[in-house]
């Protein structure tokens, strides 16, 4: 009984016919806010022939004709109805962390592996959500990803940017990873 309102990386869409509710305002006595940590996170970069070499850094940026570095994230499934899903990443402390945040896109293929993912083998992405914003060093960036989330399923996401002045976020290996 009761529904779940997800925040900070929780993933699942609202019930059909029920308008989303703000994560801070559960609408029934059984509602709760749940925070999930990422299961896997990695950057796929066009300039790297192999796996992105810095496992602490999640780098998004645009290239001359499209994305040049894309961040892939995988979150566990959450059971129950979800009213709102928010993805939160924290910018690294380096001045080079600042840039465009990119937008968050659904990834249907959950078979990728953070230890082996390369630019050439990256999965494609589909529908996107969340506004592009400016990233400041050592600050959180939140995206409302409710429209692209599948209920009761492991969820992979890609952060895609066209900004050639990309942004850098902490990975789970760095200790302040996506949630």
């Amino acid at each position: 009984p009761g529904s779940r309102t997800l925040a900070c990386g929780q993933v699942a869409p609202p019930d059909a016919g029920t308008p989303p509710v703000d994560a801070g305002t559960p609408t029934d006595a059984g509602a709760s806010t749940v925070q999930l940590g990422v299961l896997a996170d990695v950057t796929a970069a066009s300039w790297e022939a192999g796996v992105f070499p810095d496992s602490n850094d999640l780098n998004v940026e645009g290239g001359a004709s499209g994305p040049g570095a894309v961040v892939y994230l995988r979150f566990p499934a959450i059971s129950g109805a979800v009213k709102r899903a928010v993805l939160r990443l924290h910018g690294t402390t380096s001045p080079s962390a600042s840039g465009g945040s990119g937008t968050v896109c659904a990834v249907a293929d959950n078979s990728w592996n953070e230890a082996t993912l390369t630019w050439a083998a990256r999965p494609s992405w589909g529908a996107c959500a969340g506004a592009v914003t400016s990233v400041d060093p050592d600050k959180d960036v939140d995206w409302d990803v409710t429209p692209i989330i599948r209920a009761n399923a492991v969820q992979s996401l890609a952060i895609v940017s066209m900004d050639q002045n990309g942004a850098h976020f902490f990975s789970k290996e760095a200790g302040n990873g996506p949630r």
Side-chain angles (χ1 to χ4, degrees):
S3 61
R4 293 180 183 230
T5 300
L6 297 182
C8 303
Q10 296 74 16
V11 290
D15 294 329
T18 304
V21 221
D22 181 70
T25 313
T27 57
D28 65 42
S32 62
T33 298
V34 178
Q35 181 171 318
L36 300 176
V38 68
L39 296 172
D41 57 358
V42 66
T43 298
S46 62
W47 61 87
E48 293 289 341
V51 176
F52 191 71
D54 187 350
S55 64
N56 292 315
D57 181 28
L58 298 174
N59 176 215
V60 296
E61 65 183 75
S65 60
V70 175
V71 169
Y72 286 88
L73 309 168
R74 184 179 314 116
F75 288 93
I78 233 347
S79 59
V82 176
K83 302 296 181 189
R84 184 169 182 232
V86 175
L87 173 65
R88 173 172 289 164
L89 274 72
H90 192 82
T92 63
T93 56
S94 167
S96 68
S98 61
S101 67
T103 190
V104 183
C105 305
V107 175
D109 181 357
N110 287 315
S111 67
W112 58 271
N113 183 316
E114 68 181 350
T116 60
L117 185 68
T118 64
W119 183 255
R122 72 192 186 284
S124 60
W125 55 84
C128 300
V132 175
T133 186
S134 176
V135 176
D136 293 319
D138 204 23
K139 301 286 184 198
D140 286 336
V141 175
D142 291 348
W143 293 267
D144 182 350
V145 295
T146 308
I148 61 169
I149 302 305
R150 297 182 318 256
N152 301 311
V154 171
Q155 182 70 53
S156 285
L157 303 171
I159 304 174
V160 181
S161 179
M162 300 302 286
D163 187 336
Q164 291 185 8
N165 181 23
H168 296 262
F169 301 99
F170 285 118
S171 70
K172 68 178 172 33
E173 289 81 4
N176 194 6
R179 51 199 191 281

